[in-house]
Amino acid sequence: MNHWSTWVTESDIATLAKLGLNYLRIPIGYWAFTVKDDEPYVQGQIPYLKKVLDWMRKYNLYAVLDLHGVPGSQNGFDNSGRRGEVRWQQTQENIDRSIQALVGLAKIAAEYPNVVDAIELVNEPASWALSRQGILDYYKRAYSAVRDVAPSVTIVIHDAFFSPSDWPQFNVPGWSNVILDTHTYHVFVKDRLMLSRDDHLKATCQDASNVRNFNTQLWTITGEWSLATTDCARWLNGFGKGARWDGSLPWELNGPVYQGATCAGQNSISAWDAPTRVFFRQFAEAQMDAYEAGSGWFFWNFKTEEADDWNYIKLAQNGLIPNPPTDRHYSRYSLDNPHGRIKLNSPWCHE
């Protein structure tokens, strides 16, 4: 209870509004609405969620309520509420309880119609461990369940880590007011983790192309990104686990990304020299440029205990993220243009 009452405060919400943001994505586990006797979760979240929504109304912010964890785990990540095997689709009860949680979120959306603008049906279902048809069937059932309670709320569906060439499957005939959510990080796969700084910047050009192209079919947002270029943040890869960067987590290289790679200072603004600070400012702008070629973005996270490259408030207050987001030093396009006309013209992307 102390964590809920102290981690997110009215001061945080006021700060986020002052930094020029207009939407917040709020992750919520299914256990806020349904818990079985053999599950270890604590309930009592809803009054705190509503307190945050009240603050958001006060500071003119909108919310996306994100069902971040479902029974059995949709991806095996500990942020789903259960690390290990992906069992979400193994029982009908798991699906039914997921829908029950969504109905709970929809009721809150109906209670806060001028604050809750959207509901995400499930965060990051794992395409490699789940039935593709099962994911689509769940989305269809969940779409109807939410619409029955909150008819005007926007529905957000995650891309389930399918490649952009597979995204058209999510453009379901008869749906309306639906957003596709994709998450883009540079630290969880070898091809991105090992990029040079220049190549991190250049990689955002393809990300821009992906979201721009599909945005003509479904509004497409980048619902998670960060400034991290290492996976050194404590427990980022799971509670008690190390990092690929320094070789403390077993992975395909069986060692660090390069000889002598260390996590020391990687996540601390105070340890970053001037060229590193310039790079992170460029990296922030490059990603904002890319994701605004679609329908927008959400940074993960608003603040952290110690990993500064994941801390939006601290990064913005230190000039490493534009404040407000429109204050670009390297971008060359106008944010006033319709999305379809955005063309990137920066030191790393030319269109």
Side-chain angles (χ1 to χ4, degrees), residues 140-259:
K140 292 173 183 178
R141 181 180 169 191
Y143 174 95
S144 297
V146 171
R147 282 277 184 265
D148 286 345
V149 179
S152 62
V153 75
T154 299
I155 302 292
V156 182
I157 56 173
H158 187 264
D159 67 5
F161 301 106
F162 285 108
S163 68
S165 62
D166 289 318
W167 287 354
Q169 67 186 310
F170 297 116
N171 193 9
V172 176
W175 278 4
S176 63
N177 204 19
V178 173
I179 290 174
L180 181 72
D181 174 20
T182 189
H183 296 169
T184 302
Y185 290 116
H186 285 234
V187 299
F188 295 116
V189 295
K190 176 184 174 183
D191 289 349
R192 293 234 167 168
L193 185 62
M194 300 189 70
L195 293 176
S196 68
R197 288 181 175 178
D198 283 346
D199 287 338
H200 277 295
L201 296 173
K202 292 174 183 176
T204 65
C205 307
Q206 183 59 53
D207 297 332
S209 177
N210 290 341
V211 296
R212 177 194 288 114
N213 291 343
F214 199 67
N215 200 57
T216 60
Q217 299 182 53
L218 280 182
W219 294 324
T220 305
I221 63 169
T222 301
E224 293 184 20
W225 62 281
S226 78
L227 288 196
T229 55
T230 77
D231 62 337
C232 288
R234 184 161 60 126
W235 299 335
L236 177 64
N237 295 303
F239 181 78
K241 292 190 174 185
R244 300 169 185 83
W245 184 259
D246 65 358
S248 57
L249 178 75
W251 71 307
E252 58 191 290
L253 288 189
N254 294 315
V257 295
Y258 61 85
Q259 190 66 34

Side-chain angles (χ1 to χ4, degrees), residues 26-213:
I26 304 176
I28 305 154
Y30 75 90
W31 52 89
F33 300 96
T34 167
V35 173
K36 296 172 68 175
D37 290 341
D38 61 349
E39 294 177 331
Y41 307 113
V42 176
Q43 287 194 302
Q45 300 92 328
I46 301 306
Y48 295 93
L49 170 60
K50 291 184 176 181
K51 181 181 293 187
V52 170
L53 295 176
D54 288 333
W55 293 333
M56 292 178 67
R57 178 162 49 200
K58 178 178 178 180
Y59 295 100
N60 299 311
L61 292 169
Y62 298 98
V64 176
L65 301 183
D66 154 43
L67 185 59
H68 212 74
V70 290
S73 179
Q74 73 275 22
N75 52 36
F77 305 153
D78 54 3
N79 60 44
S80 72
R82 182 183 179 280
R83 189 171 79 187
E85 293 183 37
V86 180
R87 300 177 176 174
W88 179 43
Q89 291 182 341
Q90 291 184 6
T91 71
Q92 186 61 44
E93 181 185 35
N94 287 343
I95 303 301
D96 292 344
R97 294 176 71 207
S98 302
I99 298 297
Q100 180 182 349
L102 282 175
V103 169
L105 291 178
K107 289 178 179 177
I108 294 172
E111 186 178 345
Y112 288 84
N114 298 318
V115 180
V116 178
D117 189 59
I119 292 175
E120 185 150 8
L121 302 183
V122 63
N123 176 68
E124 296 185 347
S127 58
W128 59 87
L130 296 169
S131 154
R132 178 192 300 242
Q133 189 59 50
I135 295 171
L136 290 171
D137 289 346
Y138 169 77
Y139 281 164
K140 292 173 183 178
R141 181 180 169 191
Y143 174 95
S144 297
V146 171
R147 282 277 184 265
D148 286 345
V149 179
S152 62
V153 75
T154 299
I155 302 292
V156 182
I157 56 173
H158 187 264
D159 67 5
F161 301 106
F162 285 108
S163 68
S165 62
D166 289 318
W167 287 354
Q169 67 186 310
F170 297 116
N171 193 9
V172 176
W175 278 4
S176 63
N177 204 19
V178 173
I179 290 174
L180 181 72
D181 174 20
T182 189
H183 296 169
T184 302
Y185 290 116
H186 285 234
V187 299
F188 295 116
V189 295
K190 176 184 174 183
D191 289 349
R192 293 234 167 168
L193 185 62
M194 300 189 70
L195 293 176
S196 68
R197 288 181 175 178
D198 283 346
D199 287 338
H200 277 295
L201 296 173
K202 292 174 183 176
T204 65
C205 307
Q206 183 59 53
D207 297 332
S209 177
N210 290 341
V211 296
R212 177 194 288 114
N213 291 343

Side-chain angles (χ1 to χ4, degrees), residues 200-349:
H200 277 295
L201 296 173
K202 292 174 183 176
T204 65
C205 307
Q206 183 59 53
D207 297 332
S209 177
N210 290 341
V211 296
R212 177 194 288 114
N213 291 343
F214 199 67
N215 200 57
T216 60
Q217 299 182 53
L218 280 182
W219 294 324
T220 305
I221 63 169
T222 301
E224 293 184 20
W225 62 281
S226 78
L227 288 196
T229 55
T230 77
D231 62 337
C232 288
R234 184 161 60 126
W235 299 335
L236 177 64
N237 295 303
F239 181 78
K241 292 190 174 185
R244 300 169 185 83
W245 184 259
D246 65 358
S248 57
L249 178 75
W251 71 307
E252 58 191 290
L253 288 189
N254 294 315
V257 295
Y258 61 85
Q259 190 66 34
T262 175
C263 282
Q266 294 290 349
N267 305 114
S268 175
I269 290 175
S270 64
W272 298 344
D273 59 18
T276 299
R277 290 174 181 241
V278 169
F279 163 70
F280 277 123
R281 173 67 184 229
Q282 292 177 328
F283 193 37
E285 294 194 22
Q287 291 189 83
M288 288 178 170
D289 289 354
Y291 310 145
E292 286 166 8
S295 291
W297 48 262
F298 292 86
F299 187 92
W300 186 277
N301 203 324
F302 79 109
K303 69 178 181 182
T304 60
E305 294 92 338
E306 56 188 25
D308 294 344
D309 42 353
W310 299 81
N311 186 329
Y312 190 96
I313 289 175
K314 192 170 183 179
L315 289 163
Q317 290 175 335
N318 281 272
L320 300 172
I321 277 181
N323 176 20
T326 53
D327 181 31
R328 309 289 168 84
H329 295 171
Y330 301 95
S331 298
R332 298 294 183 269
Y333 76 82
S334 169
L335 296 179
D336 296 328
N337 286 342
H339 288 300
R341 290 168 48 201
I342 284 178
K343 297 295 182 184
L344 305 186
N345 184 14
S346 65
W348 42 84
C349 294

